[in-house]
Amino acid sequence: MNTDSDLPRSNVRRIVKQKITELKGVGGSDIHLNRDALTALSEACRVFIHLISATANDICLENKRQTISVDDVIGALEDLEFGDLIAELEGDIEGHRTDMRERAKRRSESIKKRKAQKAAEELVNEENGGDGDRQTDGNGIVVADAPAVAAGNAEVAAPTASAAPESTAGKDAQGAAAPVGTGPEPMAE
């Protein structure tokens, strides 16, 4: 027995139990497989996979191609007289393709969203001087000016009221008016 090409026993056991449950109903879930039966099923699955893949490869080579396609696998099933499996296989393949399209669409939307957020952040940075030396919080308020902090001049690095956008000046994080004396004080000039 070649352990490199053996199918995982847990997968074979799960597939067998699912199918028996499907055929027998709720009582089918009580089935137990002894070790020899599980080994025999595993080996039969491995042989079946080898047979289908070798036949599909032959079909592929006859058509002067090097990549096995779904049509080659379906042709192999027909050649080996397993035509009754084709309808279920085609349904499963269509379901898989639908899932892949939905994943690709979600991924694309996520990428577009991240690009839009990055563009908005860059726009905010450009509006704040464009040199990228200013550090801002999530609301676009300047927290520190990098060259001033590096020079040790904390007074120059402190945010000013003019650094905050006019729409958020005097308001707390929820948008309500902030009590007097809270938040950064404007510097005297």
Side-chain angles (χ1 to χ4, degrees), residues 1-85:
M1 189 155 144
N2 185 1
T3 58
D4 290 341
S5 62
D6 285 347
L7 296 173
R9 289 178 176 266
S10 60
N11 289 353
V12 174
R13 180 181 292 117
R14 181 177 34 85
I15 292 168
V16 169
K17 285 189 172 194
Q18 284 175 345
K19 189 60 177 178
I20 291 174
T21 301
E22 179 183 312
L23 294 173
K24 284 191 164 186
V26 178
S29 62
D30 295 338
I31 189 75
H32 297 283
L33 296 170
N34 75 21
R35 183 179 294 188
D36 292 338
L38 189 58
T39 301
L41 284 166
S42 242
E43 186 63 18
C45 291
R46 190 181 68 77
V47 168
F48 183 73
I49 291 169
H50 284 224
L51 179 64
I52 297 295
S53 60
T55 306
N57 187 53
D58 291 343
I59 293 170
C60 183
L61 293 175
E62 286 173 8
N63 292 320
K64 296 181 173 76
R65 290 181 287 111
Q66 293 182 348
T67 304
I68 297 173
S69 70
V70 172
D71 292 334
D72 298 328
V73 174
I74 291 172
L77 289 171
E78 288 174 348
D79 286 356
L80 296 170
E81 299 179 8
F82 287 106
D84 53 329
L85 300 177

Side-chain angles (χ1 to χ4, degrees), residues 17 50 68 77 80 90 92 102 112 119 149 168 173-174 179:
K17 285 189 172 194
H50 284 224
I68 297 173
L77 289 171
L80 296 170
E90 287 175 336
D92 290 345
E102 289 173 5
K112 286 179 185 177
V149 171
T168 59
Q174 286 77 28

Side-chain angles (χ1 to χ4, degrees), residues 121-131:
E121 289 172 3
E122 289 175 359
L123 182 62
V124 167
N125 286 339
E126 287 178 13
E127 289 176 356
N128 288 335
D131 57 6

Side-chain angles (χ1 to χ4, degrees), residues 104-114:
K105 183 178 178 182
R106 284 192 306 264
R107 192 173 341 144
S108 174
E109 290 170 355
S110 175
I111 290 170
K112 286 179 185 177
K113 185 177 179 181
R114 275 189 261 135

Side-chain angles (χ1 to χ4, degrees), residues 138-179:
N139 297 322
I141 298 173
V142 175
V143 176
D145 190 5
V149 171
N153 190 350
E155 288 183 31
V156 176
T160 64
S162 64
E166 291 183 33
S167 61
T168 59
K171 295 184 180 182
D172 64 6
Q174 286 77 28

